[in-house]
Amino acid sequence: MLAVHCSLITDKMTTELLQQVRVINPVTNTDLVADVLIEDGYIKSVADKISEIPKNTSTRDCKSLVLGPGLVDLYSHSGEPGFEERETFTSMMKAAAAGGFTRISILPDTSPSVDNPAVVAQLKQLYQQANSNSSCLPLLNIWGAITKDVKGEKMTELADLKNAGIIGFADGDALSNLALVRRVLEYLQPLRKTAAFWCCDRNISADGIMREGANSIQWGLPGNPVTSETSAIAALLELVSNTFTPTHIMRVSTARSVELIEDAKAKGLPITASTTWMHLLLDTSALKSYHTGLRLEPPLGNPEDMMALRRGVKEGILEAIAVDHSPFTYEEKTVAFAQAPPGAIGLELALPLLWQNLVETGEFSALELWKALSTNPAECLKQSQSQIAAGEKAELTLFNPQETWKAESKNLHSLSSNTFWLGAELKGKVVGIWC
């Protein structure tokens, strides 16, 4: 059953009153209970109690529900075009909406890749087609490719892609040519677009599929040393210090990486950073199951890495939590762990599992988690996001932290079900978005 109720999607002329809902507002750093009146896609009023209710207003008792700004995903993978058996635009957007995301940003590693304006136009057309079959879909952001050949040695026409309407520049894989990275940072300086990099030295990681440590020895899986990430981050930071181009560091996964980023920010470098939701919830101990839903890049960290990532998000060293939704078919993932393609779905699972494991346990406040999933990712993309206040556009997510449901293929909107939590009973469900 679709988690987003059509009655809550406001592309029609409607007036709705959410009574006594818990309002999480990262912009004003407030967490309080209030009545919220929404009229024709705008927030009409926020008050302790709204007594003057317009005629024909739909009223809902929201005493157990949470209302916050719409969630924003920094980067995920689309199956379409090229891999429609994994995910279509329609299924991805429905999954995003069901997970509470009002904006989704797709990486350029489609087939063909997003390395020229024609592919950007194709993706926008696919989005419009998907939108024609739905009353409301999340806003689409498109990352433009940095390189356009298989080896990642030739730079795309950056200005052309910018003019085509991309949100920023990234590649689906790590870039090994530091001279190219330096040129990219120099060329991007006047374009005022975010450059996002996944830092990994493939020569160091070699055939490692699990973070190197005691658990990798115990489970008998080839280890990927921490230095494969930290050496690449250190090199990137040196280049940023030279060009001062605003840069986003994706998929941070180690404790040492958090230290490097913290030091760089203290020196005033124009960087932002993110980790993924799964790296906050699990560490290498989970790999004793050999579940291919845990075959990730970068791999899950050791226990000290996971705790450092949590600290990094809480303290704002890592601004955002990304989903990095990566759908794969049953056949692709039903192989030996080492042969499985890296990645897992997460658009419908991230908020419930993060809330259940971080907020319900008291480790994170609701504000800390929501900020890392909504307003902070928007800022990393150089986008603004409305706060929950009278006169603002209603871009909102309504969440029931107590509702339980089972993560089964029949309950997921994604075409793929490659997740460690398949078959698990989850607590927390998005019950509506306004977009």
Side-chain angles (χ1 to χ4, degrees), residues 79-282:
E80 191 175 18
F83 305 99
E84 288 82 359
E85 69 278 7
R86 298 174 181 169
E87 196 83 281
T88 65
F89 245 72
T90 298
S91 64
M92 179 181 64
M93 289 297 173
K94 287 183 177 179
F101 290 90
T102 57
R103 305 184 198 182
I104 183 170
S105 310
I106 63 170
L107 289 166
D109 55 348
T110 51
S111 183
S113 63
V114 190
D115 59 10
N116 63 83
V119 181
V120 177
Q122 181 184 3
L123 294 177
K124 290 181 178 180
Q125 184 177 17
L126 288 170
Y127 175 71
Q128 290 171 356
Q129 291 171 354
N131 209 16
S132 66
N133 298 321
S134 175
S135 54
C136 175
L137 287 179
L139 173 71
L140 173 67
N141 293 318
I142 302 170
W143 287 98
I146 294 173
T147 61
K148 61 180 178 180
D149 64 333
V150 175
K151 295 182 180 180
E153 298 292 334
K154 190 173 182 180
M155 196 162 44
T156 58
E157 298 294 337
L158 302 176
D160 289 348
L161 281 170
K162 178 201 172 183
N163 294 334
I166 51 93
I167 192 67
F169 295 92
D171 268 11
D173 206 344
L175 295 179
S176 58
N177 187 333
L178 289 178
L180 175 65
V181 174
R182 182 172 182 266
R183 286 205 312 276
V184 167
L185 291 174
E186 290 172 342
Y187 287 2
L188 284 179
Q189 185 65 259
L191 296 183
R192 296 181 172 274
K193 285 290 182 182
T194 299
F197 296 94
W198 170 38
C199 297
C200 176
D201 188 321
R202 293 292 192 186
N203 292 319
I204 297 177
S205 64
D207 61 350
I209 59 174
M210 176 181 177
R211 186 60 72 206
E212 187 177 80
N215 285 335
S216 69
I217 296 172
Q218 184 174 359
W219 312 144
L221 294 172
N224 179 339
V226 165
T227 50
S228 68
E229 176 171 294
T230 56
S231 62
I233 288 179
L236 176 62
L237 292 175
E238 283 296 305
L239 295 177
V240 173
S241 69
N242 185 257
T243 63
F244 237 68
T245 303
T247 300
H248 182 80
I249 302 175
M250 307 163 61
R251 301 178 179 134
V252 177
S253 69
T254 75
R256 178 58 182 153
S257 299
V258 175
E259 292 177 359
L260 289 170
I261 293 166
E262 186 174 20
D263 290 344
K265 287 186 173 184
K267 295 174 182 176
L269 292 190
I271 58 170
T272 57
S274 60
T275 187
T276 80
W277 69 287
M278 288 184 66
H279 287 83
L280 292 173
L281 295 181
L282 299 171

Side-chain angles (χ1 to χ4, degrees), residues 225-355:
V226 165
T227 50
S228 68
E229 176 171 294
T230 56
S231 62
I233 288 179
L236 176 62
L237 292 175
E238 283 296 305
L239 295 177
V240 173
S241 69
N242 185 257
T243 63
F244 237 68
T245 303
T247 300
H248 182 80
I249 302 175
M250 307 163 61
R251 301 178 179 134
V252 177
S253 69
T254 75
R256 178 58 182 153
S257 299
V258 175
E259 292 177 359
L260 289 170
I261 293 166
E262 186 174 20
D263 290 344
K265 287 186 173 184
K267 295 174 182 176
L269 292 190
I271 58 170
T272 57
S274 60
T275 187
T276 80
W277 69 287
M278 288 184 66
H279 287 83
L280 292 173
L281 295 181
L282 299 171
D283 58 38
T284 51
S285 62
L287 293 177
K288 62 184 178 181
S289 67
Y290 299 98
H291 194 295
T292 56
L294 301 179
R295 170 76 170 98
L296 306 173
E297 279 194 330
L300 292 172
N302 289 304
E304 61 270 22
D305 295 316
M306 182 185 72
M307 298 312 297
L309 293 173
R310 292 183 179 185
R311 179 185 74 85
V313 173
K314 280 176 64 69
E315 296 180 6
I317 301 165
L318 309 177
E319 282 87 353
I321 302 170
V323 177
D324 207 3
H325 178 81
S326 304
F328 289 100
T329 65
Y330 174 84
E331 291 76 15
E332 288 175 300
K333 277 290 195 177
T334 311
V335 293
F337 186 88
Q339 277 72 54
I345 63 170
L347 287 170
E348 298 170 79
L349 307 173
L351 177 58
L353 283 163
L354 288 168
W355 188 281

